[in-house]
Amino acid sequence: QTDDDFEIAVRSSNIGGGLIDQLENYMTEHPNTRLVMLDTLQIVRNGIYDNAYSADYSDLRVLKEFADNHSIALMVVHHTRKARDPDDVFANISGTNGLMGACDTVFVLDKDKRGDKYATLSVTGRDVEFQELRLLFSDGEWEFIEFLSSDDFEETEVPACIQAVAG
């Protein structure tokens, strides 16, 4: 790979105001694209729906449809709540259940304290069994340490999407 395989855009339209057209144009110009990341969801939100669940689900449904149409991975960065639910890390996702309902796979990276070097990556989804992985942030990279899930997994069983995020 070369640096030509990685591009960053610092501005975009929102979901209802041209973002999908911008992404479609990018895919036409770069048909070998396999991953698009949006950081953060809030920056590209529509904000035109009657209720929060409808807004959460509808915005992500549009993005998921785009990704599915192009057979690419689309990772959308979003925030967690300040108040933490100790029993369900996925309940810490800011917003409604519509966010998880619209996504194929959800990752939550959680640390006990902001400055901690260790974090837990929790993963769940339609085609991914629930997993928790212990990670260490060192020298600007996340390093896989161990599985925390109750099930015993072999490293070869870790889906490539998780290895890419954790590795």
Side-chain angles (χ1 to χ4, degrees):
Q1 280 187 332
T2 67
D3 290 340
D4 294 337
D5 292 334
F6 182 81
E7 292 190 31
I8 296 175
V10 295
R11 288 187 178 82
S12 73
S13 298
N14 68 11
I15 293 169
L19 175 64
I20 299 303
D21 290 337
Q22 288 175 315
L23 292 171
E24 291 288 355
N25 290 338
Y26 185 85
M27 292 303 296
T28 298
E29 295 171 14
H30 303 89
N32 293 325
T33 299
R34 306 302 339 134
L35 170 68
V36 171
M37 295 183 70
L38 296 175
D39 183 8
T40 65
L41 175 62
Q42 191 59 39
I43 290 172
V44 297
R45 296 296 303 257
N46 264 329
I48 58 170
Y49 299 100
D50 294 337
N51 66 61
Y53 181 92
S54 183
D56 287 345
Y57 191 89
S58 295
D59 283 347
L60 285 174
R61 183 187 54 77
V62 169
L63 296 172
K64 180 183 175 342
E65 184 176 296
F66 165 80
D68 289 348
N69 288 342
H70 291 280
S71 299
I72 64 167
L74 176 65
M75 181 175 278
V76 179
V77 177
H78 189 56
H79 296 279
T80 55
R81 303 175 198 281
K82 301 287 184 217
R84 295 175 55 182
D85 182 331
D87 299 323
D88 182 5
V89 69
F90 297 103
N92 295 329
I93 297 170
S94 182
T96 71
N97 291 333
L99 293 172
M100 282 191 62
C103 295
D104 287 335
T105 305
V106 178
F107 299 81
V108 174
L109 186 64
D110 187 46
K111 297 189 287 184
D112 289 331
K113 296 178 187 166
R114 186 182 305 238
D116 285 351
K117 291 183 178 184
Y118 289 93
T120 301
L121 179 65
S122 301
V123 183
T124 192
R126 291 185 179 103
D127 300 322
V128 178
E129 296 210 21
F130 171 75
Q131 297 180 43
E132 289 183 306
L133 299 85
R134 186 70 156 163
L135 306 177
L136 169 65
F137 190 70
S138 176
D139 297 323
E141 294 184 2
W142 287 104
E143 177 184 341
F144 170 77
I145 302 298
E146 65 181 330
F147 285 104
L148 299 175
S149 308
S150 59
D151 296 333
D152 292 328
F153 294 101
E154 294 182 26
E155 191 163 339
T156 58
E157 293 181 281
V158 178
C161 64
I162 295 173
Q163 289 178 356
V165 171

